[in-house]
Amino acid sequence: MIKFHPTEELLVKYVQGELDASLCLVIGTHIDMCPVCANTVKDIEEQVARSVFINELQGSASATPAQLPEAEMNMMLEQIISSHAPEKIVREPALEEITLEGKQFKLPPTLGRLGSRLGHWSKVPGSVWRAPVNLSGHDKINLIYMAAGASVPEHTHRGSEATLVLNGSFADEFDCYEDGDFIFLDQQHKHTPQTAQEDCLTLAWLNEPLQFTSGVARLLNPFSNLFFR
Ligand SMILES: [Zn+2]
């Protein structure tokens, strides 16, 4: 059961197309996995469509909603919803699963559609692997695979970090996160993600590099950019 979801504010920005394409990808992938947020997004889309609809009617000074036959009103709303729905980022043959360390992972459709943008896997210290999803723009997005018993050194965030658990689980000082959980952290949060007996595949978005706060990692400046390139 998913415990952590994007805030309603983020979902509204998602619907209105106000987010960076890479953050849209993380939220869209969460929505693929989360019926609760899928419903909320549907409601937001309807509300946005209604307000656009009413604005358009007021502009044209013709019929008011109450004077229109319901079927006609629904058709107009449908048209407005589809013209305001978040743009599908690209249409390419979808990648349905990936194989890592001999294990297969299914990719949710929103992420799978960007399969051809997935870069090479490289190893990061601490039994962690990363592969970038190459989208244009300033923000960075990576698939991050943590083997069982792996950890990322304690760090804080110069900007914001959004993490979506695709498969498996990890924990930090705040909680334990499982399939579908969406975690949004900023400069105020310092944490040390780690896995226990189970490995974990996540999709992680950053708008600034991480800042490592303890141990040797703190001294290795280039380490901060490991997840930001
Ligand atoms: Zn959700």
Side-chain angles (χ1 to χ4, degrees):
M1 168 117 163
I2 298 176
K3 280 189 295 186
F4 299 93
H5 308 265
T7 58
E8 200 171 79
E9 190 190 347
L10 269 180
L11 292 178
V12 168
K13 287 183 175 169
Y14 170 81
V15 169
Q16 297 190 312
E18 287 173 15
L19 300 176
D20 182 276
S22 51
L23 184 53
C24 263
L25 172 62
V26 186
I27 293 178
T29 304
H30 171 82
I31 293 165
D32 284 348
M33 301 173 81
C34 178
V36 174
C37 286
N39 265 331
T40 309
V41 161
K42 231 177 122 214
D43 287 348
I44 297 169
E45 282 171 352
E46 276 171 18
Q47 283 172 34
V48 168
R50 256 171 221 286
S51 68
V52 170
F53 178 60
I54 287 168
N55 281 345
E56 282 181 4
L57 279 179
Q58 283 167 346
S60 70
S62 60
T64 62
Q67 293 167 320
L68 280 173
E70 200 179 322
E72 195 180 329
M73 190 163 119
N74 285 341
M75 208 176 74
M76 286 175 76
L77 276 174
E78 281 292 310
Q79 280 170 359
I80 294 171
I81 288 174
S82 58
S83 68
H84 281 73
E87 244 178 83
K88 297 286 178 245
I89 305 168
V90 263
R91 295 190 182 278
E92 291 168 11
L95 184 67
E96 286 177 9
E97 58 181 30
I98 54 172
T99 305
L100 272 171
E101 298 292 287
K103 221 176 126 173
Q104 272 156 358
F105 293 92
K106 277 209 164 316
L107 297 184
T110 298
L111 179 59
R113 276 195 291 272
L114 289 172
S116 65
R117 307 279 182 120
L118 188 61
H120 291 295
W121 286 92
S122 54
K123 193 170 182 322
V124 176
S127 300
V128 178
W129 284 260
R130 72 172 270 274
V133 181
N134 297 307
L135 295 180
S136 57
H138 166 266
D139 301 354
K140 301 287 184 245
I141 188 158
N142 283 281
L143 275 178
I144 294 178
Y145 174 72
M146 299 171 78
S151 70
V152 173
E154 184 191 72
H155 60 269
T156 180
H157 313 92
R158 287 178 202 162
S160 304
E161 175 191 76
T163 306
L164 173 66
V165 179
L166 296 173
N167 192 285
S169 67
F170 80 92
D172 64 9
E173 291 83 339
F174 303 106
D175 223 304
C176 180
Y177 314 98
E178 296 182 351
D179 292 27
D181 278 333
F182 175 92
I183 309 110
F184 196 82
L185 300 175
D186 60 21
Q187 296 99 318
Q188 286 154 12
H189 302 95
K190 191 156 75 167
H191 71 155
T192 316
Q194 44 195 301
T195 47
Q197 283 90 358
E198 197 183 7
D199 56 357
C200 188
L201 179 67
T202 64
L203 184 64
W205 166 88
L206 284 174
N207 62 2
E208 292 296 335
L210 299 180
Q211 186 165 5
F212 289 96
T213 42
S214 70
V216 179
R218 178 172 57 88
L219 305 172
L220 298 174
N221 236 348
F223 205 84
S224 303
N225 287 322
L226 280 176
F227 301 101
F228 198 77
R229 61 185 183 205

